[in-house]
Amino acid sequence: MRILTIDTSAVASAAVLSFDPADAVRTQKVEANFATEDTRSHAEVLAPGVKSLLGDPVTEGPALDAIIVGTGPGPFTGLRSGIAMARTLAFTWGVPLYGLMSLDALAQQVFDTPRYDAGRAVAPLAVREFVVATDARRKEVYWARYSAGAQLLDGPHVGPASAVTGVQVFGAGAGLYAAELGANGCEVDPGFADVQPSALQLGRAAVRRIAAAGSLEGAGLLDTTPLYLRESDAKVPGPRKRAL
């Protein structure tokens, strides 16, 4: 199976992964991957970035089994650029399209990362329920709560970091508000304090779901409705007032 993943909930990113659903752990291969560090130029860099992953988009696009796009939560402009591109490519190539919450990708990355002691993996990074948080700007975070096995328990939400209490917190949102979270009894892992969702991790989370279900259709993937969690700042202007 071969999938293209796109995520623009934070940075602009895309990846191509291939795997055998019957043995996804050992057969998973990252064919190509790109991600920017800039969180404000998605529209300019995404199309060239996706094109760079495919030697011949005309033939390699139809060779995909699915396109999976991160549905956020994320800022309006950046998030919609990734979803719009995914929808366009899926329609043009005739490839099935699915969505996956971007915070799930970050949670999967936490689950996959061990804790080391003296250079040796000794335990999972998250040993109990945990929260992943990303920067929502306006002094707020996007966040969701997960079990130690990276199963979604609550969320997604947007709000001040002070709303999160008494758990391990991972992600760039945790790094930005480490002091506030620490005052609330939270533990912020310094190694995960600047990590953003990416298409590569989105793909790895999708691979695990597909492998567990044995098919794309049963993997519990979403449609591509974006999770903005806020209304757009852009408003339709009201009618002109009549001059007296």
Side-chain angles (χ1 to χ4, degrees), residues 8-9 11 46 55 60 83-84 90 102 107 111 118 132 139 160 163 169 180 182 196 198 200 205 217-218 226:
T8 55
S9 62
V11 301
L46 186 58
E60 290 194 61
I83 293 175
S102 303
F111 177 78
V132 296
K139 298 183 179 181
V169 190
E180 292 92 326
Q196 304 271 26
S198 71
L200 177 57
E217 293 74 17

Side-chain angles (χ1 to χ4, degrees), residues 83-161:
I83 293 175
M85 171 159 284
R87 289 174 176 174
T88 300
L89 293 178
F91 176 79
T92 302
W93 289 336
V95 174
L97 175 63
Y98 300 89
L100 182 61
M101 187 169 74
S102 303
L103 294 180
D104 286 353
L106 196 54
Q108 186 65 55
Q109 188 175 356
V110 172
F111 177 78
D112 289 339
T113 303
R115 188 178 299 276
Y116 288 91
D117 183 18
R120 185 167 59 92
V122 295
L125 195 60
V127 296
R128 57 186 186 277
E129 290 183 14
F130 64 93
V131 162
V132 296
T134 60
D135 182 16
R137 303 171 188 167
R138 305 181 189 176
K139 298 183 179 181
E140 292 184 330
V141 293
Y142 298 116
W143 64 276
R145 184 185 294 265
Y146 293 84
S147 71
Q151 301 298 312
L152 179 65
L153 299 176
D154 180 40
H157 304 284
V158 62

Side-chain angles (χ1 to χ4, degrees), residues 17 21 31 38-39 48 88 99 110 116 127 154 178 190 216 222 227 234 237 243:
L17 296 89
E31 294 187 11
D38 187 357
T39 60
T88 300
V110 172
Y116 288 91
V127 296
D154 180 40
L216 277 161
L222 308 173
L227 297 168

